[in-house]
Amino acid sequence: MLLPVYTMGGIMELYFGPAGVPNSSPERSTEGGIRHVAGLGLGCMEMQFVRGVKMGETAARAVGKLAKEKGIALSAHGPYYINLNAREREKIAASQERLLHSVRIASLCGARTVVFHAAFYLNDPPDKVYPVVKKNLQEVLNRLRFDQTGVWLRPEVTGKATQFGTLEEVLRLSSELEGVAPCIDFAHLHARTGKFNSYAEFAAILEQTERKLGRAALDNIHIHVSGIKYGEKGEIKHLNMTESDFDYVNFTRALKDFKVKGLVISESPNLEGDALLLQRTYRSLG
Ligand SMILES: [Zn+2]
């Protein structure tokens, strides 16, 4: 369920930025990354909590203050060690704690999004996994107050057939749970099937999202993208855009035509290189 659209600095547009501290950043800290992102002329950065949240509360407040000063929108990628379909109750509880902790720290940073990979199927049929993930995610939401944190939990469209997170599953969770919105990973969508690499298919994804969640979803989108190498089982590895087959020109054109607003995070190996390429391409379109 989508709550009212938040605005960043009063102006809501489409921001481009890297997944983590830019490669070319002389300072490797989150704050150094924010300064560098601002210097490059990009608009956002996704903090990587993927190996656990290492940031404390004081540091998070300082990060939030700097991001606001520099006009950089932040999001966070939650830990990889999350499986809301784990067999053991303690693993589910630990996954829920990791999400809660990520949201609390992200909120202190002024971030409005925590992305996460929700679950693995563990060979269970997907229609059995969905209600389990939903219930366990609902328990997390019950312990958060969206009106206090302002943070969206965003299950990601994943890239491997073993991972929960088709576009349909992610949109359905977003429509049924308050405070949940999608992270649409276009590289993963492409890798899962080899499809979704033309203007018509990009447009169809955006249309499907709007149909399911309303216009608010396109006014508050969160996108991951990169070049990608894929095989029978989906994702193999991320590639730089220009070394891959991804049609980023038509991708940016679809974002422009649909007047999509929110964050576009580059997960290419060259991080800021492709964020800049996408931003440049997007701005060059009439
Ligand atoms: Zn991810």
Side-chain angles (χ1 to χ4, degrees), residues 7-8 11 22 38 45 51 81 121 133 148 157 178 185 192 230 237 239 251 261 267 275 278 284:
T7 56
M8 286 175 290
I11 311 160
M45 185 174 97
R51 293 194 169 76
Y81 309 109
Y121 294 119
V133 170
Q148 284 170 8
V157 174
E178 225 169 84
D185 190 316
R192 265 182 180 253
Y230 54 93
K237 66 171 184 169
L239 296 173
F251 166 69
K261 301 179 184 79
E267 292 192 322
L278 290 169
S284 73

Side-chain angles (χ1 to χ4, degrees), residues 17-269:
V21 175
N23 295 324
S24 57
S25 176
E27 292 174 83
R28 303 310 305 163
S29 64
T30 303
E31 286 173 272
I34 292 167
R35 273 189 283 273
H36 201 66
V37 162
L40 289 168
L42 291 167
C44 61
M45 185 174 97
E46 186 150 289
M47 300 178 289
Q48 301 295 298
F49 297 164
V50 296
R51 293 194 169 76
V53 186
K54 309 254 163 73
M55 193 183 287
E57 292 190 4
T58 310
R61 286 198 183 87
V63 162
K65 186 164 169 275
L66 179 68
K68 201 168 176 188
E69 262 167 44
K70 297 284 183 190
I72 300 301
L74 293 176
S75 57
H77 195 308
Y80 289 141
Y81 309 109
I82 285 174
N83 184 3
L84 296 177
N85 184 43
R87 297 275 183 265
E88 305 83 352
R89 190 63 227 173
E90 12 355 321
K91 283 197 187 161
I92 289 182
S95 296
Q96 291 172 320
E97 278 309 320
R98 288 186 183 110
L99 276 176
L100 285 165
H101 188 49
S102 300
V103 169
R104 289 189 186 117
I105 295 296
S107 172
L108 292 176
C109 294
R112 292 286 166 265
T113 276
V114 169
V115 173
F116 65 106
H117 306 176
F120 290 89
Y121 294 119
L122 304 177
N123 293 322
D124 295 341
D127 60 332
K128 294 268 185 318
V129 176
Y130 182 85
V132 175
V133 170
K134 183 182 168 185
K135 174 182 160 284
N136 290 327
L137 186 53
Q138 179 70 66
E139 288 177 8
V140 174
L141 296 162
N142 291 346
R143 292 171 62 192
L144 291 169
R145 290 281 309 276
F146 180 86
D147 54 343
Q148 284 170 8
T149 66
V151 174
W152 298 91
L153 273 175
R154 295 189 187 255
E156 177 174 333
V157 174
T158 53
K160 294 188 184 121
T162 52
Q163 286 175 300
F164 175 92
T166 61
L167 181 63
E168 289 69 25
E169 287 165 337
V170 165
L171 293 181
R172 193 173 159 204
L173 281 176
S174 305
S175 74
E176 293 177 357
L177 295 174
E178 225 169 84
V180 173
C183 169
I184 306 179
D185 190 316
F186 281 81
H188 285 166
L189 273 168
H190 180 40
R192 265 182 180 253
T193 56
K195 295 186 206 160
F196 301 112
N197 197 26
S198 65
Y199 183 87
E201 289 164 310
F202 299 135
I205 293 165
L206 298 173
E207 279 163 4
Q208 188 181 346
T209 303
E210 183 172 6
R211 221 172 20 249
K212 187 89 182 165
L213 303 175
R215 175 67 213 182
L218 299 191
D219 286 335
N220 173 21
I221 211 162
H222 195 81
I223 289 176
H224 281 178
V225 70
S226 74
I228 198 149
K229 185 176 175 193
Y230 54 93
E232 293 264 297
K233 291 183 179 141
E235 171 179 13
I236 295 174
K237 66 171 184 169
H238 289 202
L239 296 173
N240 293 337
M241 217 54 102
T242 55
E243 291 153 12
S244 76
D245 68 355
F246 192 72
D247 186 354
Y248 66 90
V249 177
N250 272 314
F251 166 69
T252 47
R253 193 183 301 282
L255 298 181
K256 187 134 225 177
D257 289 351
F258 280 78
K259 299 186 172 59
V260 165
K261 301 179 184 79
L263 272 52
V264 179
I265 302 294
S266 156
E267 292 192 322
S268 296

Side-chain angles (χ1 to χ4, degrees), residues 13-24:
E13 47 176 294
L14 194 61
Y15 297 84
F16 294 86
V21 175
N23 295 324
S24 57

